[in-house]
Amino acid sequence: MSREDHIVRGFKATLLARAIYMLSSALLMFVLARYLLDPDGYGTLYWVIGILAMVRLVADLGIGKSAARYLSEYREDDPSQIPHLLRSTITFKIVVMALVGYLLLVFHEQLAAALGRPDAAPFLAAGVLYVAVFSFSTFTEVAFQGFNHLPYSAAVRAISGFSRLVFAVGFALMGLGALGAFFGYVVGYALSAAVGLAVLYYAFYARYDAAETHEEGLTRRMIEYSVPLTATRSANVIDKQVDTVLVGVILTPTAVAFYTLGKQITDFVLAPAESLGFTISPNFGEQKASDQLEQARQIYETALTNTMMVYIPAAAGLVIVADPFIPMVIGAEYAGAVPVLQVLAAFIILQAITNLTSDSLDYLGRARHRAMAKGGTAVANFLLNLVLIPTIGVVGAAIATVATHSVYVAVNLYIVHLELDLRLKRLVRSIGVICVITGIMAGAVLLVTPLVSSLAMLAGAIALGAITWAVLVVASGLVDPNEVRAAIT
């Protein structure tokens, strides 16, 4: 199988799993927000998850991503070290998680009080389980990525999404409210972690004959490489979650619900770009090791152009249809999420680029530089949130996210250009054509949006935009219909 065929196969599997994950997440969002929880309960649930995302930073310490990098390298160079790598990684994770879990269990009430939300203490106590199962679920995903067996990663992601939906809705229907929905998350991630660890053991660990001795210095190098990854991941999580946490501390749980809803919709839209970035990134490490940077450049440029061809029009369309969409689909009580979503539409474009680029930089050995960029923009995001949230409310958090992430994306693209020598004129020309197509598509949708008064009419407006986009991208030569059919089949 050629590298291109392998990427397409992995992308299809990853996209299918991410589709299951995001569709189940979207259905969970819809059911919880519209039927099972009020805005306060919905906001509390995701505010606590934001807090625990920061706790997970200490429990993970970037060791999973570092292990994936070395798994990718040693499966080619010295497979006998694979069992040693897996053993040392899991041992390290268990020790750190046990310490973090103990501290969280002992001090959960004090943490809740310090954040001004004593009612969140039961969530934080249960967060000990959440942190552990989520950590191992995501570890198995990135480990399979390191082995370049993306269908396994895809399966773990799909299981976690579907299980969360079933158990969170089930527990909420039993009258357990937001806390019941939270335990549904715990059970969902526990199931995906169990499946992932079982596959990791039987399909990979047991498959390799371990060397008699662990290569001297390998564990040390893996831990050292986890330091910039930890910094990057910490900055990334803080960048993504600190705004949600600050909205809850400075404003109200209802404001958290508005902000969370906007971010969840953008996450749903971003699933394909995340899948593509997750699929192509291991190939850059392999290509750099074999000095095939020309091929790496071609893959990245094609992926970036195709991603922008989808996400620039998608962001424009989201700005236009956000107002009828949220009140009609989620409920009028969530209308405060409309301006948040409209601002975050710009973030969709930025995050689509990040999803393609960030993991690729790690595999290219540029984790330290990415960490520095992410750390700086995360601090800027935190400070800008402190200024904008009290002055202009929940929309200020969205503005801060877009402003700081723009800088981070610019730095990432510059580093990729240094590594791969991108053909900038060609990229600018293609993106310029995409912007023209977006303008024509937006004009067509704007003409019919004022007439929208039902879900059927809203679906028709979205379909009009999609058809206009499809016709124009084919007419402009950006897409060859024959290539699309070949990729699908």
Side-chain angles (χ1 to χ4, degrees):
M1 182 183 295
S2 68
R3 185 177 300 276
E4 289 77 9
D5 290 339
H6 184 76
I7 290 174
V8 170
R9 180 174 176 269
F11 176 65
K12 287 180 180 179
T14 305
L15 184 58
L16 176 61
R18 297 293 168 98
I20 295 171
Y21 182 86
M22 295 309 298
L23 286 172
S24 61
S25 298
L27 186 56
L28 180 60
M29 173 191 74
F30 173 73
V31 173
L32 291 180
R34 190 170 180 92
Y35 298 110
L36 298 179
L37 301 178
D38 59 22
D40 275 5
Y42 192 81
T44 298
L45 170 63
Y46 289 103
W47 182 75
V48 170
I49 289 176
I51 295 290
L52 293 174
M54 296 186 180
V55 175
R56 291 200 318 266
L57 292 174
V58 186
D60 288 338
L61 294 179
I63 195 68
K65 290 295 292 292
S66 182
R69 185 256 174 129
Y70 282 96
L71 290 172
S72 174
E73 178 181 330
Y74 274 80
R75 73 186 181 89
E76 298 289 340
D77 297 341
D78 187 2
S80 66
Q81 292 297 324
I82 295 293
H84 296 297
L85 276 168
L86 290 174
R87 272 202 305 270
S88 57
T89 301
I90 292 176
T91 300
F92 184 88
K93 287 179 68 67
I94 290 174
V95 171
V96 175
M97 275 195 299
L99 177 61
V100 172
Y102 173 76
L103 293 174
L104 181 58
L105 188 61
V106 171
F107 295 107
H108 70 278
E109 291 183 347
Q110 292 89 331
L111 178 59
L115 294 170
R117 295 292 306 278
D119 57 310
F123 289 88
L124 295 176
V128 175
L129 297 174
Y130 175 86
V131 168
V133 296
F134 185 92
S135 179
F136 274 109
S137 178
T138 53
F139 166 68
T140 58
E141 281 192 59
V142 297
F144 295 139
Q145 184 192 31
F147 284 114
N148 214 355
H149 281 267
L150 297 175
Y152 290 134
S153 292
V156 172
R157 175 61 66 95
I159 290 169
S160 68
F162 182 75
S163 300
R164 279 186 336 177
L165 170 64
V166 172
F167 288 99
V169 171
F171 291 156
L173 285 172
M174 292 168 62
L176 300 177
L179 186 59
F182 180 74
F183 272 106
Y185 270 71
V186 173
V187 175
Y189 285 123
L191 288 174
S192 63
V195 172
L197 288 171
V199 174
L200 189 62
Y201 177 81
Y202 289 106
F204 296 94
Y205 178 85
R207 167 184 162 192
Y208 292 102
D209 294 325
E212 292 184 4
T213 58
H214 194 168
E215 181 182 312
E216 184 178 355
L218 178 55
T219 299
R220 175 185 53 78
R221 294 198 306 275
M222 184 174 66
I223 293 175
E224 286 177 350
Y225 194 69
S226 75
V227 173
L229 291 174
T230 299
T232 301
R233 188 172 179 277
S234 299
N236 189 48
V237 171
I238 291 171
D239 196 37
K240 287 185 175 181
Q241 301 295 342
V242 72
D243 42 11
T244 303
V245 174
L246 288 176
V247 168
V249 172
I250 297 172
L251 302 176
T252 65
T254 298
V256 176
F258 295 158
Y259 190 67
T260 299
L261 192 64
K263 293 188 77 172
Q264 287 174 326
I265 293 172
T266 62
D267 287 343
F268 177 76
V269 175
L270 282 163
E274 186 180 0
S275 301
L276 184 57
F278 191 83
T279 302
I280 67 175
S281 54
N283 296 279
F284 290 117
E286 296 172 7
Q287 289 163 344
K288 184 173 183 178
S290 57
D291 198 27
Q292 294 179 330
L293 292 183
E294 173 67 28
Q295 188 177 10
R297 180 179 70 181
Q298 179 65 38
I299 291 173
Y300 183 82
E301 289 180 347
T302 301
L304 180 62
T305 301
N306 291 341
T307 299
M308 291 299 94
M309 185 168 56
V310 173
Y311 281 102
I312 291 176
L318 201 57
V319 171
I320 297 169
V321 304
D323 192 3
F325 174 79
I326 289 180
M328 285 183 181
V329 176
I330 308 299
E333 64 269 29
Y334 287 91
V338 170
V340 174
L341 182 57
Q342 289 174 325
V343 173
L344 288 177
F347 174 74
I348 288 175
I349 299 173
L350 298 171
Q351 187 61 33
I353 299 173
T354 299
N355 286 342
L356 283 179
T357 307
S358 294
D359 280 355
S360 302
L361 289 177
D362 292 343
Y363 281 94
L364 286 169
R366 288 283 195 154
R368 183 173 66 87
H369 300 88
R370 189 166 78 88
M372 294 169 61
K374 193 61 180 179
T377 54
V379 171
N381 185 39
F382 175 75
L383 296 175
L384 200 54
N385 270 290
L386 287 179
V387 173
L388 295 181
I389 292 174
T391 54
I392 59 178
V394 67
V395 176
I399 294 173
T401 296
V402 171
T404 55
H405 206 71
S406 298
V407 177
Y408 177 62
V409 167
V411 173
N412 272 358
L413 287 174
Y414 175 71
I415 297 173
V416 170
H417 178 55
L418 292 179
E419 285 287 333
L420 302 180
D421 191 23
L422 301 177
R423 293 167 290 191
L424 298 180
K425 289 184 179 180
R426 180 178 178 179
L427 285 173
V428 169
R429 184 167 59 251
S430 297
I431 292 174
V433 173
I434 292 167
C435 290
V436 172
I437 290 172
T438 299
I440 298 172
M441 183 209 75
V445 176
L446 277 170
L447 289 175
V448 300
T449 301
L451 306 175
V452 171
S453 59
S454 66
L455 285 176
M457 296 181 70
L458 176 61
I462 295 173
L464 174 63
I467 292 170
T468 304
W469 168 85
V471 170
L472 291 174
V473 295
V474 172
S476 66
L478 286 174
V479 170
D480 184 344
N482 294 324
E483 291 183 359
V484 173
R485 283 193 292 269
I488 294 174
T489 57

